[in-house]
Amino acid sequence: DALRRPGDEDAPYRAGGLLDPGGDMALARAGSHGAAVATIAAGQAPGDPAGRAHPIIGVSLPRFALADTSGSLGALFIQAAVIFVISRARMLAREMSQRAGRRVRPPLVVTLSLGVSGGAQDGSGMIARLQDAIAGAVPPDLGPVHFVLPTGNACQDRLNGQMKAGQRIQWQILPDDPTPSAIEIWASPGRQIPRLSLRPPGGEDLLIPLKRPGMVRLADRQGPEVARAVLQHRGQNSGYCLTLIVPPTLPTAQGEPWAPAGLWSLTLSEDSASPCRLAIARDDRLPGTGGRGRQSRLVEAGYAARDVSGRWQGADPVPPGTIIRRNGTVNSYATGRLQIRVGSTMAHPAGAVAHWSGLLADGAAGDVTAPSERSASLAGMAVPGMRGAGLGRLSGTSLSAPQMTRWLAARLAAGQRFDGRADLAAELGSGDTDVHDLGLPDLPWRSGLGG
């Protein structure tokens, strides 16, 4: 009955208990990351028949999985979501074929506006492999399937680095953090194991004794556990990954392990595999999820996030000169061979890469870029919310990726075909520049993205 009440957009939400003051008030606010992404990707003006020509298949991930920004809980749910989308798209294709009286193979564009900083960067992660497998072997009842992902927003967060044997770097862990902090040390592909020592604030170096995959607890002379180390072999192409997990600096219950806040340090032994990639797991607060983590980061003397004029620095110089890196800060979900990786630019000046936009290993902002920032002095874009005419001001590559989704879906529906990233780059080529930017979109709700 709630769905039959014209003009009462809150009725179905109330019927589902999503606007119940005594329960879940998630939809009481006007803004939403998911609503912005969905509307940018496929929203049409009310009454526009084009909306029926572009059906949407949406998946809502569990809030507790989203609240863990490290991604440790999300991968399996994301894989299940992808399988659900493919299954529903195949069902829709069969229904379309029955109604048309002929075989219809609709193209499919799947976007995932989520990202993580840790994980493999060589495409061997579960999500990248699954999406590459589907895009490379499309089911017979579907047309081309493309996966569009954001490059992430971690370029300036000091979460990534590359160490050589004998080097030391500091790791800043913040106070009042009720969640663990973690850093991954990835050795180059091969059989060598990274050998590392960890020093807590005011403590001594603790050599990590792992010589084969497994887990070990690290304790200082007083006996308390200060960290855990987990060694995994991720396959011949990825090599070994050593993960250090430090307990919360603010334990939530008496008797739980805790760690001192401050500057910890990591030293790569002289006889270790070298170089090694460092990747700190995200541990921040995602709006609307109730997460309470505080983000740790790398600290290095001589590293400057801004140049002498105060501007944020872009791609790493050649040679880099520091352990902390901005290149290779791409969202680890988006490291497959066939995925389309989208970075963020500013609307003014047009095509200028946003300073926080994650960078590929070669320093590029993505295979393609799209604006999600008004300018250096006016952050964010006005984007649709999930209730009525409500707008919110958001930013990030999560808003750039669905613009590419919309652009690509429209061209596939018109009969165009793209054989990988090179074809897209050629279609979007912009003269002598390497940046292939979509430019400001002409979106039907006139939300301020373009004006």
Side-chain angles (χ1 to χ4, degrees), residues 156-209:
Q156 303 294 348
D157 289 348
R158 291 178 283 167
L159 305 183
N160 291 265
Q162 190 171 95
M163 289 183 75
K164 296 179 180 179
Q167 288 185 319
R168 178 187 292 264
I169 193 167
Q170 293 179 311
W171 180 19
Q172 176 76 64
I173 296 181
L174 300 179
D176 299 324
D177 186 353
T179 61
S181 298
I183 185 170
E184 298 171 352
I185 299 92
W186 290 83
S188 300
R191 303 298 299 178
Q192 284 189 300
I193 294 175
R195 292 181 55 79
L196 196 86
S197 61
L198 175 69
R199 178 186 291 181
E204 58 185 19
D205 284 343
L206 304 173
L207 183 64
I208 298 167

Side-chain angles (χ1 to χ4, degrees), residues 43-395:
Q44 301 289 345
D48 188 341
R52 288 185 170 273
H54 293 84
I56 305 170
I57 302 171
V59 180
S60 179
L61 298 178
R63 188 171 302 177
F64 69 84
L66 295 175
D68 178 15
T69 54
S70 71
S72 60
L73 299 176
L76 292 177
F77 291 105
I78 292 171
Q79 289 183 97
V82 169
I83 297 300
F84 174 82
V85 169
I86 298 299
S87 175
R88 295 293 295 177
R90 297 182 69 183
M91 292 171 63
L92 181 60
R94 290 193 289 269
E95 181 181 338
M96 293 169 65
S97 297
Q98 290 173 358
R99 294 195 177 191
R102 58 182 176 83
R103 189 176 188 182
V104 177
R105 297 178 59 196
L108 176 66
V109 185
V110 184
T111 189
L112 172 65
S113 279
L114 289 174
V116 290
S117 57
Q121 289 275 320
D122 60 357
S124 64
M126 292 188 296
I127 293 172
R129 284 191 288 121
L130 173 66
Q131 295 186 357
D132 275 353
I134 294 172
V138 176
D141 40 9
L142 291 178
V145 177
H146 295 276
F147 290 89
V148 178
L149 284 88
T151 59
N153 309 321
C155 182
Q156 303 294 348
D157 289 348
R158 291 178 283 167
L159 305 183
N160 291 265
Q162 190 171 95
M163 289 183 75
K164 296 179 180 179
Q167 288 185 319
R168 178 187 292 264
I169 193 167
Q170 293 179 311
W171 180 19
Q172 176 76 64
I173 296 181
L174 300 179
D176 299 324
D177 186 353
T179 61
S181 298
I183 185 170
E184 298 171 352
I185 299 92
W186 290 83
S188 300
R191 303 298 299 178
Q192 284 189 300
I193 294 175
R195 292 181 55 79
L196 196 86
S197 61
L198 175 69
R199 178 186 291 181
E204 58 185 19
D205 284 343
L206 304 173
L207 183 64
I208 298 167
L210 287 169
K211 296 183 179 180
R212 61 180 60 88
M215 189 271 287
V216 65
R217 292 177 170 85
L218 303 177
D220 60 18
R221 289 185 177 181
Q222 286 71 39
E225 178 183 327
V226 297
R228 296 187 184 186
V230 180
L231 180 64
Q232 297 172 288
H233 189 244
R234 302 296 296 269
Q236 190 63 37
N237 292 331
S238 297
Y240 285 97
C241 175
L242 177 65
T243 304
L244 301 179
I245 305 169
V246 174
T249 56
L250 178 66
T252 55
Q254 187 175 5
E256 288 189 352
W258 62 277
L263 287 174
W264 297 57
S265 65
L266 306 170
T267 303
L268 197 61
S269 302
E270 292 285 357
D271 60 346
S272 175
S274 178
C276 288
R277 181 175 70 91
L278 307 179
I280 294 178
R282 282 189 64 186
D283 184 30
D284 52 358
R285 298 173 174 89
L286 200 62
T289 62
R292 297 189 297 157
R294 301 195 69 196
Q295 185 65 61
S296 64
R297 60 180 55 88
L298 298 173
V299 176
E300 180 182 9
Y303 176 80
R306 297 175 183 263
D307 62 21
V308 293
S309 65
R311 294 183 176 89
W312 292 98
Q313 303 209 53
D316 295 329
V318 181
T322 59
I323 294 173
I324 297 174
R325 302 294 170 86
R326 295 180 294 274
N327 290 11
T329 51
V330 61
N331 161 25
S332 293
Y333 290 157
T335 55
R337 296 178 297 104
L338 302 178
Q339 297 161 310
I340 300 166
R341 304 160 297 181
V342 187
S344 279
T345 54
M346 297 182 185
H348 308 285
V353 175
H355 69 268
W356 35 256
S357 183
L359 302 179
L360 307 182
D362 62 0
D367 305 310
V368 63
T369 54
S372 70
E373 194 90 344
R374 292 294 296 166
S375 67
S377 57
L378 181 59
M381 294 285 195
V383 292
M386 56 187 169
R387 300 180 67 217
L391 297 177
R393 184 165 289 276
L394 300 177
S395 187

